[in-house]
Amino acid sequence: MKLYALSDLHVRYEHNRKALESLAPHPEDWLIVAGDVGETLEHMDFAWRTLTARFQKVIWVPGNHELWTLTREQPALRGEARYQQVVEHCRSYGVLTPEDPYPRWPGEGPHRVLVPMFLLYDYSFRPDHVAEQDAIAWAMEHHILCTDEAVLHPDPYPSRSAWCAARVEQTLARLERELPADCSTILINHFPLRYEHVRLPRIPRFSIWCGTKKTEDWHVRFRAEIVVSGHLHMPATLWRDGVRFEEASLGYPQQWSWRGDISRCLREVLPGPKSQAL
């Protein structure tokens, strides 16, 4: 029994949809989908029909794209209402969400708890000399502006940063209340937990839309064995403090199709490598 991860499916692209349909069945295995399945419930219908037929269990966390409010989709819900709509949609397919009980990994090895989270971002992934109120202007100096600024609404919170702060506070309380003391964890979030892992050589100032510094120590604080994320479209295995960090993105067709087969893009989370490569 294995645990795999994949994120940033972006199934609005036909190439990605066909690739997803080509995945071989993994009837004994679990799959983490770390966000950015698509922008509409129709996109998620396709993904969940496809993936729940191939994997024993699917676990999802939201990316920014699932939270977009698009006028072509009615009702055009915003912010928290949109998130809750998507959560219920996932549950209708038996897909686990950040609002469900944390599952224990039933495979071989020590006791582990899988922790899907929704934390968002607060523009804090920026250099120290850039003030928070100047972060977007700083990014725009390099002609970078995330689409979220137009279509990801924070309602009922006054800002995306405020929504992020609320999600961090809620998640912290739940982790402290519900995590068993005898288990290590696999932390799952769409956005990277650490600023140092945001490696975007072509668009470095996009970092402000990539996470929050409030989670920098969570891999140690909550006994993580592995941290799974996406969003960057730059799949990689990184290590910090003996913890393995898996960036599990598929991405847009031009970013991954050179690999030839989507099966090569699946990240093996468990059992995975036993220790950090030297």
Side-chain angles (χ1 to χ4, degrees):
M1 184 179 185
K2 293 185 176 181
L3 174 64
Y4 291 100
L6 195 62
S7 76
D8 298 78
L9 306 181
H10 294 293
V11 300
R12 76 173 182 267
Y13 293 96
E14 182 180 5
H15 187 79
N16 286 20
R17 292 196 301 274
K18 289 183 176 179
L20 214 60
E21 289 179 316
S22 74
L23 266 176
H26 291 256
E28 297 182 355
D29 301 328
W30 287 21
L31 177 68
I32 293 166
V33 179
D36 279 6
V37 172
E39 292 80 31
T40 67
L41 297 183
E42 182 180 3
H43 291 159
M44 283 174 270
D45 276 328
F46 170 82
W48 301 147
R49 284 197 308 268
T50 304
L51 294 173
T52 57
R54 286 163 173 75
F55 290 86
Q56 182 185 139
K57 179 66 70 177
V58 177
I59 300 167
W60 165 86
V61 296
N64 50 316
H65 283 239
E66 286 98 334
L67 302 176
W68 286 3
T69 299
L70 304 178
T71 55
R72 69 174 180 267
E73 191 169 50
Q74 296 296 324
L77 301 180
R78 295 163 61 107
E80 180 68 23
R82 170 62 176 177
Y83 171 59
Q84 293 299 334
Q85 178 190 43
V86 178
V87 165
E88 292 305 317
H89 184 265
C90 293
R91 286 171 168 170
S92 73
Y93 283 91
V95 174
L96 295 180
T97 80
E99 306 309 310
D100 296 312
Y102 298 144
R104 284 201 181 217
W105 172 243
E108 294 181 357
H111 291 308
R112 302 174 174 105
V113 173
L114 278 65
V115 183
M117 302 182 293
F118 166 41
L119 302 174
L120 210 55
Y121 55 80
D122 61 3
Y123 309 94
S124 61
F125 281 2
R126 64 184 192 275
D128 292 340
H129 71 272
V130 178
E132 179 179 357
Q133 64 269 22
D134 299 329
I136 293 176
W138 172 75
M140 291 183 67
E141 287 175 0
H142 284 198
H143 310 289
I144 296 169
L145 183 65
C146 184
T147 304
D148 291 1
E149 296 299 319
V151 294
L152 198 166
H153 304 288
D155 309 36
Y157 299 94
S159 66
R160 296 172 196 85
S161 294
W163 194 7
C164 173
R167 290 300 311 184
V168 168
E169 182 178 346
Q170 293 163 20
T171 304
L172 270 174
R174 187 176 173 196
L175 288 168
E176 292 170 350
R177 181 176 66 249
E178 297 184 18
L179 279 187
D182 63 338
C183 288
S184 60
T185 63
I186 298 171
L187 301 180
I188 306 160
N189 190 49
H190 177 66
F191 304 95
L193 297 189
R194 293 184 60 83
Y195 182 23
E196 67 180 352
H197 291 161
V198 180
R199 302 176 178 183
L200 299 169
R202 295 184 178 181
I203 50 171
R205 297 193 183 192
F206 190 80
S207 64
I208 62 173
W209 292 283
C210 292
T212 171
K213 288 182 179 179
K214 294 175 180 176
T215 60
E216 294 265 279
D217 68 344
W218 282 25
H219 64 294
V220 174
R221 185 174 178 181
F222 297 110
R223 306 184 303 280
E225 178 182 347
I226 305 159
V227 176
V228 177
S229 65
H231 191 58
L232 304 181
H233 295 197
M234 295 188 69
T237 300
L238 303 169
W239 294 84
R240 176 76 179 199
D241 303 315
V243 178
R244 175 160 48 100
F245 289 76
E246 293 286 356
E247 208 287 0
S249 294
L250 181 66
Y252 303 130
Q254 68 272 19
Q255 294 173 320
W256 72 268
S257 56
W258 58 272
R259 301 187 199 183
D261 190 326
I262 192 174
S263 63
R264 298 181 181 180
C265 301
L266 282 174
R267 310 295 293 185
E268 184 181 307
V269 178
L270 290 174
K274 299 299 182 185
S275 61
Q276 182 173 355
L278 299 177

